Amino acid sequence: MSHAFDRHDHGTCIASALSAAEAACAGRGMQLTPLRRRTLEILLESHVALGAYDVLARLEAEGFGSKPPVAYRALGFLVENGFAHRIEGLSAYVACARPGSPHDPSFLVCRSCRRVAEEEIQAPLAPEAEAEGFAIERTVVEAQGLCPACRGRA
Amino acid sequence: MSHAFDRHDHGTCIASALSAAEAACAGRGMQLTPLRRRTLEILLESHVALGAYDVLARLEAEGFGSKPPVAYRALGFLVENGFAHRIEGLSAYVACARPGSPHDPSFLVCRSCRRVAEEEIQAPLAPEAEAEGFAIERTVVEAQGLCPACRGRA
DNA sequence: CGCCTCTTGTTATACTATAACATCCGCGCT
DNA sequence: AGCGCGGATGTTATAGTATAACAAGAGGCG
Ligand SMILES: [Zn+2]
Ligand SMILES: [Zn+2]
Ligand SMILES: [Zn+2]
Ligand SMILES: [Zn+2]
């Protein structure tokens, strides 16, 4: 269970994600450049999913480029390397809550505050794919609804 | 198991989906107008997911309006009423393979030919949501990969 | 130095989706 | 018939998401 909806020491989320990203980059010969690192830090500031243009606005305000490819490329790098995930149902991006270990993520996504909890589950369509001869490469699992805080505010 | 990747009598797919839509509309006081019916028929022609603008081009060629809201509204009607589903990972739409009964659909989506098989599974995040106090309203489950035919062509 | 690769930046464009307003049509009511 | 109404379709205009193609700089290495 993730801590996105709990009170927790968020500083350790940030620190462990950054050090995991640094270690993974070093190990794979990838570069965690200032732009990429800052993009990851922006996502890590909260467990809320951000749109690419939200990220871009933040980057631009801090002196990076202002055009969409700047954000899309940095986000693409983070997603490809498993440091962030794309939430398909929101067309948005969130920092990975389990950096370091490769995993097939699934999410609880609050439609009100866009906070995202990352969960670990078994691939839910594996038997069906097996029966049909379908080769699964990636499975999107996103439960949309209301988080505890937003239920309370209803 | 759906028949999207099998040889099957596709005429019965079409006929049963259309009659289920007609029955459901009659029962709920909704109107399956010519535009909506034709949109559903277009989706039913194959088990391939179509983008809204693909559908719009077909509609325009047949004398309907040519502007995006024409397609988006018809698709919205079909999705809201359970006659079609949106595939989030493709931003595309596919006819429902189990019309009539309400269900929480899940999909096997071929990234090569965009064919979609609809499956029925248990809500995969229910225990996690329960533990966190998260109220699930809808769950997107889309396995992306290669269908049997496209695997063979690799 | 000259070449190569990677990263960042730009311009321009493509693709996806909705807000707001206009028109038309069928229906119930007077 | 004349009117008001809701729903469906149509339009214009705009918002939101994403990528292709090209230019320029940094660093490694012959
Ligand atoms: Zn945290
Ligand atoms: Zn919330
Ligand atoms: Zn069929
Ligand atoms: Zn295929």
Side-chain angles (χ1 to χ4, degrees):
Chain A
M1 133 160 190
S2 109
H3 297 286
F5 304 139
D6 298 333
R7 208 172 276 124
H8 67 282
D9 180 358
H10 188 55
T12 62
C13 290
I14 296 177
S16 71
L18 283 174
S19 62
E22 264 159 16
C25 284
R28 287 179 239 165
M30 311 298 295
Q31 306 177 48
L32 190 64
T33 60
L35 171 62
R36 290 166 176 173
R37 185 189 169 97
R38 189 71 198 113
T39 302
L40 178 55
E41 288 171 350
I42 288 168
L43 292 181
L44 281 167
E45 283 179 9
S46 75
H47 294 280
V48 171
L50 297 180
Y53 284 75
D54 298 330
V55 172
L56 178 59
R58 293 286 311 273
L59 291 171
E60 179 179 9
E62 298 175 21
F64 293 99
S66 62
K67 301 308 187 331
V70 169
Y72 279 103
R73 282 192 296 228
L75 290 167
F77 173 88
L78 297 175
V79 169
E80 276 171 28
N81 288 277
F83 309 141
H85 304 295
R86 176 180 159 87
I87 305 298
E88 299 291 344
L90 296 177
S91 296
Y93 302 83
V94 71
C96 176
R98 288 167 169 68
S101 48
H103 54 290
D104 209 354
S106 56
F107 306 99
L108 301 177
V109 181
C110 179
R111 67 169 158 80
S112 172
C113 66
R114 296 169 61 106
R115 230 177 294 276
V116 173
E118 182 172 346
E119 309 289 341
E120 192 106 36
I121 62 172
Q122 292 307 110
L125 282 167
E128 289 78 7
E130 173 75 18
E132 306 214 18
F134 184 97
I136 294 179
E137 292 167 350
R138 170 181 173 241
T139 302
V140 176
V141 180
E142 298 174 8
Q144 300 168 13
L146 284 181
C147 75
C150 292
R151 285 172 87 173
R153 275 193 289 279
Chain B
M1 137 158 188
S2 111
H3 297 286
F5 304 138
D6 298 334
R7 207 173 276 124
H8 67 282
D9 180 358
H10 189 55
T12 62
C13 291
I14 296 176
S16 70
L18 283 174
S19 62
E22 265 159 14
C25 284
R28 288 178 237 166
M30 310 298 294
Q31 308 177 47
L32 190 65
T33 60
L35 171 64
R36 290 165 176 175
R37 185 188 170 96
R38 190 69 198 114
T39 302
L40 178 55
E41 288 171 350
I42 288 168
L43 292 181
L44 282 166
E45 284 178 9
S46 76
H47 295 280
V48 171
L50 296 180
Y53 284 75
D54 298 330
V55 172
L56 178 59
R58 293 286 311 273
L59 290 171
E60 179 179 11
E62 297 174 24
F64 293 100
S66 62
K67 301 307 188 325
V70 170
Y72 279 102
R73 283 192 295 228
L75 290 167
F77 172 87
L78 297 176
V79 169
E80 275 170 28
N81 287 279
F83 309 143
H85 304 294
R86 175 178 160 87
I87 305 299
E88 299 291 344
L90 296 177
S91 295
Y93 302 85
V94 71
C96 177
R98 289 165 168 69
S101 48
H103 54 290
D104 208 354
S106 56
F107 306 99
L108 301 175
V109 181
C110 180
R111 68 169 157 81
S112 172
C113 66
R114 296 169 61 105
R115 229 177 295 276
V116 173
E118 182 172 345
E119 309 289 342
E120 192 107 37
I121 62 171
Q122 294 307 111
L125 281 168
E128 288 79 7
E130 174 75 20
E132 306 213 19
F134 184 97
I136 293 179
E137 293 166 349
R138 169 181 175 243
T139 302
V140 175
V141 180
E142 298 173 8
Q144 301 168 12
L146 284 182
C147 75
C150 292
R151 284 172 89 174
R153 273 194 289 279

